[in-house]
Amino acid sequence: MKQSKGKFQSRFLKLVLGCSLLTESVFFTSTVSAQKYEKWVAPAEAIAQKNPLDGNKEVLADAKKLYVSMCAPCHGEKGKGDGPAAAALNPKPADHSSKSVQAETDGSLFYKMTTGRGPMQSFRTKLTDAQRWSLVNYIRTLKK
Ligand code: HEC
């Protein structure tokens, strides 16, 4: 009699443990999905904005210098999102050579440099408009 009571208790404990593990995992998955990465989309008027330096190759040498000193620590020298600071960041720095970044309009890339998001700081006051447009031209040269 005593023994079967013991068995029952241990089964009961296993059941409680199982349930709590289950709730915990459900809770864990839901918190993880709540923090899911939200795609960064620029507003329509920013996407439509024209690049005043469109096709200007003369700005590329200066833009490259800016890129290497101010962007490469996170985005990497070739823009692949693999700079020395990238490992510690969440979300990861965008891969500027990727299809998805290259498919964006100049206006969209300019807007994102201007406003920033998360670890990507705003360059509104750190760089002039012309410098940010020149960086858009430079990013175009990083296409795979
Ligand atoms: C401290 C690290 C860091 C630095 C420095 C940095 N970035 Fe970023 N950048 C990020 C991160 C992280 C993201 C992704 C942000 C997100 O998706 O929420 C990002 C995203 C971007 C995007 C948007 C890509 C897309 O398609 O969504 C552009 C454009 C960009 N960076 C350009 C630049 C330029 C140009 C510079 C230099 C002037 C620069 N970044 C400097 C970390 C950085």
Side-chain angles (χ1 to χ4, degrees):
M1 189 60 182
K2 238 188 179 169
Q3 209 184 2
S4 72
K5 197 180 168 199
K7 248 188 205 164
F8 174 75
Q9 273 181 341
S10 86
R11 262 195 209 147
F12 181 71
L13 279 177
K14 272 184 199 156
L15 189 72
V16 170
L17 188 70
C19 283
S20 69
L21 281 175
L22 190 71
T23 3
E24 200 174 305
S25 67
V26 166
F27 178 73
F28 183 69
T29 349
S30 63
T31 36
V32 165
S33 60
Q35 294 173 336
K36 217 178 119 196
Y37 179 75
E38 211 175 295
K39 197 173 153 46
W40 190 6
V41 183
E45 66 272 18
I47 292 175
Q49 205 182 347
K50 291 278 167 275
N51 180 353
L53 296 175
D54 188 21
N56 185 331
K57 292 196 168 72
E58 280 154 37
V59 296
L60 289 178
D62 285 339
K64 182 177 182 172
K65 280 185 207 147
L66 286 178
Y67 192 89
V68 169
S69 66
M70 299 180 82
C71 319
C74 295
H75 290 281
E77 294 254 344
K78 299 257 184 296
K80 296 206 183 300
D82 58 356
L89 299 178
N90 185 20
K92 293 284 171 241
D95 176 352
H96 289 156
S97 72
S98 68
K99 272 200 187 127
S100 62
V101 169
Q102 292 293 333
E104 287 183 54
T105 64
D106 286 8
S108 171
L109 298 175
F110 179 79
Y111 169 87
K112 291 179 179 183
M113 284 177 211
T114 307
T115 62
R117 187 176 89 161
M120 167 73 194
Q121 61 200 295
S122 156
F123 287 94
R124 193 190 302 273
T125 56
K126 295 195 177 87
L127 295 169
T128 65
D129 283 12
Q131 284 175 318
R132 276 175 278 128
W133 284 118
S134 77
L135 281 164
V136 171
N137 287 9
Y138 184 70
I139 287 176
R140 295 299 178 204
T141 69
L142 300 171
K143 188 176 171 178
K144 259 183 227 165

